[in-house]
Amino acid sequence: MFLTDLGVAGFRNHPDSRLSFSQNVSIFYGRNGQGKTNLLDSVYFLTLTKSFQVSSDLLCIRNGDPHFTLSGNFRSDSGLVSEIRTQVFRPEGKQISLNGQKITGSSDIIGRFPTVLFSLEDRLITMGSPSDRRKFLDSVLFQTSKVYIEDSRKLKKTIRQRNDLLQSQGKLTPSAIDLFDIWTEELIRNSAPVLRRRLRFLHQFRQLLSVLYQNELSGFEQPEIEYKSDETLLGSDTDAEAWLREQARLYRDQELDRRTTLIGPQRDDLLIQLDGRETRFYASQGQHKLLLLAVKIAMWHYLKEKTGETPIVLIDDIFSELDSERLKVISGFLPALGQVLITMTDREKLALDGNFGFFRIEDGRVYAG
Amino acid sequence: MISLSDHLDELVHEFSKLPGIGRKTAQRLAYFILKQPEASASQLAESLIRVKKNVHQCRICGNITDDEICRICSSPRRNQQLICVVEEPTDVLAIEKTNEYQGVYHVLGGAISPLDGVSPEQLNITSLLDRVGTVESAEIILAMNPDVEGEATTLYLTRLLKPFSHLSVSRIARGIPVGGDLEYSDEATLSRALEGRVKI
Ligand SMILES: [Zn+2]
């Protein structure tokens, strides 16, 4: 996938910016706070229907503007041209159209324009909470499976219903407990496909990760990424439904007692290790950074294989963090990744030869060159 | 904001309580009524009252009707031993449009949803049990929406109906687009789903 033209109006600090891309690697440079990252965010918003910087769409509207409008022209690997147009209005309202047709759900866009973001926030994958790691899982799987998006939504709704049933009652009557068992069954049915897809994904992903870390990035250790549920590691051959059913049985009394859902893939975690030691506690800064690069490049490969489309790569500010050795390694990678959009403060930092597009960003305005 | 007329404000307020009607639309509707001749306003008002007075639930199936028993339940051409259980009267209309279904209905009036405060007691479930208790044999088709509330309702009814050995219970097969409500399914999909119903 290749983004050829980008229009950003009323988005964050950009009043009205228009950019055209022709080279594979484009670099947005300029001092901090000028709006480089906002440009990456606008591309992310177009292809994944939300911001990676803020949780509310409304916060993306420029101060004083009634709405923002993003437009992107994309060319697929096979040469098909399509246009996404996204608008968000105050006080509420979001309209997305694909080739002039209004779309009803974001799942009509997500995955058709695969996108991989590299940012400093990636460190949360190794250092952050279980929910950060589940977010990573979802960021890959949402882009490869529309069914997974639907299943996840259903699971979320099921848990809300189940918790509401547990919490809205004074004393739990026998009929409320009957209903609880019905919602447990519904929870198992909606959890199993989510769990199954995650396990299947990891089965493939861990191999990709290992090759990238050791062979391509010359890491010395053996990386390992495993799925952890209730302190148990689940392999790809796990019978998801049987596992969930057993969990439901084990935790039934506790759930009724504590009046909340204690089982399901929305509580699971990933165990990430280097040479059998959990990275979170044992890995050095350098090992973390290398591993995260490997994780994101592996994600790129996975998305490419599953969607049949070369993902667009957004790299936000990670170059300032890398030493010159790693910079050289990743610079060698860049041209092979298809279209890459990079932010950096100093345009000389990436001392590369090659045919790059340069854009200077200053106070929400874009100057080519 | 300055108020021009308390009566008008009241009408706007009433309209804005309707589903899908925001304040702006409510205002537009109220001004529209104001500009209409009095006769058409009266007609609207009377029609509203007539609906509330004369339309009620069918004593047998819970569908809406002007009579005591609805047109479908009282039709001699309908197979009374084939009962399709749905959430809303609009689902009946959707299935009727297929022109394929020859049985009768049972309208629950919603689906189990703790978040919306809907428990089984608020649905037409007791009347369903009474109804199937009086027949010698029947085939029940559960045709709830494919969302989590519809699925939970299906599970609930399945457990409830299981002890009745004279009943054969099935649910409509998937084929309805994921996330889609029954009401919005096109006729072709619905009739396929009805044909492909699976025994549970
Ligand atoms: Zn009836």
Side-chain angles (χ1 to χ4, degrees):
Chain A
M1 192 59 69
F2 196 95
L3 173 66
T4 55
D5 302 279
L6 174 67
V8 183
F11 184 84
R12 308 285 290 177
N13 73 334
H14 287 264
D16 195 357
S17 299
R18 262 153 226 293
L19 298 81
S20 290
F21 303 102
S22 46
Q23 286 97 343
N24 259 6
V25 180
S26 299
I27 292 167
F28 304 142
Y29 68 98
R31 282 175 297 119
N32 282 327
Q34 303 300 302
K36 305 184 298 284
T37 301
N38 294 339
L39 279 182
L40 289 193
D41 205 12
S42 73
V43 178
Y44 190 94
F45 208 121
L46 278 168
T47 60
L48 298 173
T49 72
K50 59 175 197 212
S51 159
F52 67 77
Q53 298 185 95
V54 291
S55 56
S56 151
D57 294 346
L58 287 178
L59 289 175
C60 294
I61 304 178
R62 187 167 167 263
N63 274 342
D65 282 7
H67 58 87
F68 75 70
T69 306
L70 303 175
S71 62
N73 291 330
F74 296 85
R75 194 179 59 232
S76 76
D77 290 2
S78 61
L80 281 175
V81 174
S82 44
E83 193 211 0
I84 309 177
R85 198 178 141 85
T86 301
Q87 289 184 297
V88 169
F89 305 90
R90 275 189 231 280
E92 58 172 343
K94 184 170 181 173
Q95 216 174 75
I96 303 176
S97 64
L98 178 59
N99 300 324
Q101 296 271 353
K102 256 192 235 170
I103 62 151
T104 45
S106 52
S107 60
D108 287 342
I109 294 271
I110 297 169
R112 291 174 70 158
F113 306 85
T115 305
V116 180
L117 170 71
F118 293 66
S119 82
L120 295 175
E121 297 287 291
D122 289 344
R123 73 191 147 75
L124 294 175
I125 298 171
T126 49
M127 306 286 270
S129 64
S131 90
D132 292 311
R133 283 179 283 282
R134 290 194 299 271
K135 228 181 259 169
F136 164 69
L137 277 176
D138 287 347
S139 75
V140 184
L141 290 170
F142 280 173
Q143 293 195 62
T144 56
S145 168
K146 220 171 150 162
V147 179
Y148 183 83
I149 299 179
E150 283 300 333
D151 288 343
S152 302
R153 277 191 196 140
K154 265 181 119 170
L155 174 59
K156 226 171 158 176
K157 187 74 187 289
T158 306
I159 293 160
R160 283 184 57 213
Q161 290 281 21
R162 195 169 181 262
N163 285 341
D164 193 88
L165 175 75
L166 285 170
Q167 284 150 21
S168 63
Q169 317 263 336
K171 200 173 159 327
L172 288 173
T173 59
S175 71
I177 293 175
D178 273 356
L179 271 182
F180 169 77
D181 289 334
I182 296 281
W183 283 105
T184 300
E185 183 63 29
E186 183 69 7
L187 177 67
I188 292 169
R189 289 183 185 198
N190 289 326
S191 295
V194 170
L195 178 56
R196 229 176 272 136
R197 210 168 280 269
R198 285 183 183 176
L199 293 174
R200 229 184 301 146
F201 158 69
L202 278 182
H203 183 62
Q204 267 181 289
F205 190 75
R206 62 207 297 194
Q207 287 158 11
L208 273 173
L209 182 66
S210 169
V211 169
L212 276 161
Y213 186 85
Q214 293 185 305
N215 301 1
E216 307 288 327
L217 295 175
S218 323
F220 294 118
E221 306 79 13
Q222 169 68 44
E224 189 55 85
I225 183 163
E226 285 181 282
Y227 196 84
K228 194 164 81 174
S229 183
D230 191 27
E231 298 307 315
T232 306
L233 298 180
L234 303 183
S236 59
D237 55 347
T238 305
D239 180 339
E241 196 170 324
W243 165 258
L244 289 158
R245 226 168 261 292
E246 179 60 11
Q247 289 284 104
R249 199 185 59 79
L250 277 172
Y251 283 92
R252 186 171 183 272
D253 289 346
Q254 255 194 76
E255 288 189 311
L256 286 171
D257 187 48
R258 288 172 54 186
R259 303 281 184 110
T260 191
T261 296
L262 299 171
I263 60 164
Q266 79 289 352
R267 304 174 62 89
D268 293 346
D269 196 2
L270 296 174
L271 175 66
I272 303 172
Q273 294 176 310
L274 285 175
D275 279 347
R277 285 145 71 92
E278 191 165 357
T279 44
R280 201 146 48 116
F281 305 121
Y282 298 103
S284 70
Q285 286 258 8
Q287 287 170 327
H288 272 285
K289 282 175 194 161
L290 199 65
L291 183 63
L292 290 172
L293 274 179
V295 164
K296 284 306 177 84
I297 299 170
M299 172 175 171
W300 183 91
H301 280 281
Y302 185 81
L303 288 185
K304 184 173 160 82
E305 192 203 313
K306 291 290 166 187
T307 65
E309 195 67 51
T310 308
I312 294 173
V313 175
L314 308 174
I315 301 182
D316 189 27
D317 206 31
I318 66 166
F319 290 106
S320 53
E321 287 269 304
L322 295 175
D323 55 43
S324 57
E325 189 67 23
R326 299 231 154 69
L327 215 52
K328 226 157 104 194
V329 174
I330 187 159
S331 302
F333 256 99
L334 287 181
L337 291 178
Q339 187 173 27
V340 186
L341 307 177
I342 306 174
T343 65
M344 57 178 69
T345 41
D346 180 4
R347 76 172 269 181
E348 309 307 326
K349 176 99 186 183
L350 205 63
L352 286 165
D353 30 68
N355 198 8
F356 294 163
F358 283 98
F359 299 89
R360 181 164 58 87
I361 318 297
E362 209 178 294
D363 196 18
R365 297 189 187 275
V366 180
Y367 305 90
Chain B
M1 199 174 75
I2 180 166
S3 163
L4 301 172
S5 149
D6 290 345
H7 297 303
L8 195 65
D9 288 351
E10 194 192 327
L11 185 58
V12 171
H13 180 68
E14 288 303 317
F15 275 135
S16 64
K17 289 191 209 156
L18 299 175
I21 307 284
R23 219 189 134 67
K24 249 190 176 148
T25 313
Q27 238 161 21
R28 247 190 15 242
L29 291 172
Y31 277 99
F32 175 81
I33 300 283
L34 191 63
K35 278 192 224 152
Q36 294 276 298
E38 199 180 323
S40 54
S42 304
Q43 222 167 24
L44 177 64
E46 280 160 25
S47 164
L48 287 174
I49 291 162
R50 262 200 308 273
V51 161
K52 275 320 279 181
K53 260 203 187 127
N54 301 317
V55 182
H56 40 249
Q57 289 190 359
C58 167
R59 213 160 44 85
I60 297 175
C61 71
N63 197 2
I64 48 174
T65 173
D66 293 349
D67 311 302
E68 202 177 330
I69 292 171
C70 77
R71 283 166 207 173
I72 294 171
C73 286
S74 52
S75 164
R77 283 196 305 275
R78 293 288 183 147
N79 178 358
Q80 305 283 337
Q81 249 104 48
L82 182 60
I83 303 172
C84 182
V85 184
V86 296
E87 292 180 17
E88 301 287 352
T90 44
D91 299 330
V92 172
L93 293 180
I95 294 175
E96 282 300 291
K97 264 201 274 179
T98 65
N99 276 327
E100 295 279 338
Y101 181 66
Q102 297 301 321
V104 292
Y105 296 93
H106 198 88
V107 183
L108 296 177
I112 296 171
S113 174
L115 284 167
D116 300 305
V118 181
S119 63
E121 294 81 54
Q122 278 137 297
L123 302 172
N124 287 326
I125 291 177
T126 321
S127 63
L128 176 66
L129 294 180
D130 291 346
R131 195 176 173 189
V132 300
T134 61
V135 293
E136 266 177 36
S137 75
E139 183 180 350
I140 312 284
I141 306 168
L142 303 176
M144 265 48 86
N145 287 332
D147 51 21
V148 297
E149 296 79 16
E151 285 173 0
T153 310
T154 303
L155 283 169
Y156 183 82
L157 289 177
T158 309
R159 289 196 183 178
L160 214 58
L161 296 171
K162 208 153 215 161
F164 294 89
S165 56
H166 68 295
L167 298 180
S168 140
V169 184
S170 58
R171 60 173 171 77
I172 55 169
R174 287 291 189 118
I176 294 166
V178 183
D181 276 2
L182 213 49
E183 206 184 324
Y184 300 115
S185 308
D186 62 279
E187 285 103 89
T189 324
L190 256 180
S191 57
R192 242 181 294 130
L194 276 167
E195 274 167 36
R197 60 184 181 260
V198 287
K199 183 110 171 46
I200 42 184

